[in-house]
Amino acid sequence: MLFGGVEAGGTKFVCATGDETGKIQERVELPTRDPEETVKDVIGFFSKFETKAIGIASFGPIDVNPESDTYGYITTTPKTAWQNYPIKQTIEKALGVPAGFTTDVNGAALGESVLGAAKGLDSCLYITVGTGIGAGAVVKGNLLEGWSHPEMGHILVRRHPDDHYEGACPYHHDCLEGLAAGPAIEARWGQKGKELSDRPEVWEMEADYLAQALMQYVLIVSPKKIIMGGGVMHQQQLFPLIHKRLDELINGYIKLPEPLSEYITSPGLGNDAGITGAILLGKQAYETGKL
C-alpha cells in the first residue's frame, strides 16, 4: 500500500509517497507561496499516485483539537496568507482520502521514533533549532498533544549574565526562541551562526540556553532519547557543550542516561525525519479511517 506525506514548511513543502514502513519512494520539493498555488501543486503531485491516506506535518501554530471548529487549520501563523487556512480539509476533499494532521516537529519526532535515532524506544523528544525553535514528542508511542500542541520553543529561560540582547520573539522577546534561534544569534553577534564557528563565546552562550530548556524537558517529560536538529545544530561543537552544561544544571538531582552523547544526539534520519513521520502519520490516518 502507498501512503503520502506532506512536510509543510515556511519556505518549502516536501511531498513524498512511501510504503507502510515509512520508506520514501517518490518525493518532490515545492516552494511555499500562497495557499492556493502551493496546495494546487501538492494535489497535482499526489494525483499521480493511488495513495490510501495522507499525513500532513505542518508549520504552525495549527489546530490539532478534533473538537474545535478550526480543527485542521493553520491558525495564527506570521505568514499572513496562511492564517486560518483549512489545509487538512482542503487536501482531504481534493484527494478523497483521510489525512492525519500534526506539527512539523511532531512529525519529525514520529519519524525518529519509528525509523531514526529513537527506533525501538516508546518515547523521544525532537527539537529543531533554526529560524525558530520547536519541539515535538512521542510519549508511550503516541504523539504528545492536548487541547493544542507543544510550543516548547517559547518557554522562559534565565538570561545569560553576559547577554544584553533584548530577544527576537515578537510575542515574548526573551523566551527560548527569542534568545537562541538563528535570527537571535545573528542579531546579537552581527553575523550568521555559520560565520561564527570559531567564536567559543557564541556557542557557550547558546549551549547555556539550550541546556536550560533541556533541563525543563527532561524533568517534565522524561524522554528516553532527545534528538536535536535544525540549522543551528549543524554546529557540531554545540553537542558536547550542551551535554556539559545540562549535567551542571541538573547538579546530581537525578541520574541522567549515560553517555549523554548517545542520549542527546542528532537525527538518525537527517533531513528526512519530518517527511518520514508525515508518511507514517498517513498510515495512521488510514488505519483510523476518519475523514
Side-chain angles (χ1 to χ4, degrees):
M1 287 190 288
L2 203 61
F3 301 98
V6 178
E7 184 183 10
T11 57
K12 67 180 179 181
F13 273 51
V14 180
C15 301
T17 60
D19 61 22
E20 64 272 13
T21 69
K23 183 179 179 181
I24 297 169
Q25 296 189 1
E26 301 279 347
R27 67 178 287 160
V28 66
E29 294 186 4
L30 307 167
T32 303
R33 292 160 290 158
D34 65 61
E36 288 71 25
E37 289 180 300
T38 308
V39 174
K40 180 182 177 181
D41 287 348
V42 170
I43 292 165
F45 171 78
F46 286 112
S47 65
K48 299 179 292 184
F49 306 97
E50 293 186 7
T51 54
K52 297 293 186 181
I54 304 289
I56 304 168
S58 176
F59 68 92
I62 62 176
D63 190 339
V64 296
N65 183 359
E67 306 302 318
S68 170
D69 291 339
T70 54
Y71 172 58
Y73 283 50
I74 298 173
T75 57
T76 54
T77 173
K79 296 182 72 66
T80 54
W82 288 86
Q83 287 177 2
N84 301 310
Y85 181 72
I87 187 170
K88 178 181 187 292
Q89 291 86 340
T90 303
I91 290 176
E92 283 181 331
K93 183 177 179 181
L95 296 174
V97 297
F101 188 55
T102 193
T103 62
D104 47 2
V105 281
N106 256 353
L110 179 61
E112 287 291 325
S113 72
V114 176
L115 292 171
K119 183 177 181 180
L121 303 176
D122 66 357
S123 77
C124 73
L125 189 69
Y126 179 92
I127 306 161
T128 183
V129 187
T131 304
I133 297 179
V138 171
V139 178
K140 293 189 176 180
N142 297 311
L143 290 173
L144 180 61
E145 293 177 342
W147 66 267
S148 186
H149 52 79
E151 283 286 1
M152 300 189 209
H154 292 268
I155 63 171
L156 300 179
V157 291
R158 293 173 177 170
R159 181 176 288 276
H160 190 282
D162 296 332
D163 190 10
H164 305 291
Y165 174 58
E166 66 177 359
C169 177
Y171 296 95
H172 315 117
H173 298 296
D174 59 355
C175 63
L176 176 67
E177 180 173 294
L179 292 174
I185 295 172
E186 182 177 1
R188 180 188 293 112
W189 300 101
Q191 292 178 286
K192 292 184 181 295
K194 62 184 179 182
E195 299 165 351
L196 296 163
S197 297
D198 59 349
R199 297 273 301 275
E201 66 273 22
V202 173
W203 306 109
E204 287 168 7
M205 183 180 291
E206 180 73 6
D208 177 64
Y209 286 133
L210 295 176
Q212 286 187 60
L214 291 189
M215 178 177 177
Q216 296 181 58
Y217 305 153
V218 166
L219 294 177
I220 295 169
V221 184
S222 298
K224 293 180 180 176
K225 181 82 77 171
I226 296 174
I227 300 145
M228 302 188 74
V232 172
M233 296 309 303
H234 291 164
Q235 299 286 335
Q236 288 296 310
Q237 71 270 32
L238 259 178
F239 279 99
L241 292 171
I242 291 168
H243 301 154
K244 179 176 181 291
R245 185 61 181 141
L246 176 61
D247 192 51
E248 291 171 351
L249 290 169
I250 293 289
N251 197 30
Y253 178 65
I254 57 172
K255 184 174 175 58
L256 293 166
E258 294 180 344
L260 285 181
S261 59
E262 294 181 9
Y263 178 54
I264 303 166
T265 187
S266 54
L269 296 174
N271 294 329
D272 287 336
I275 190 60
T276 299
I279 292 169
L280 294 168
L281 192 66
K283 179 188 175 186
Q284 291 181 3
Y286 174 73
E287 291 169 347
T288 57
K290 294 179 180 180
L291 273 172

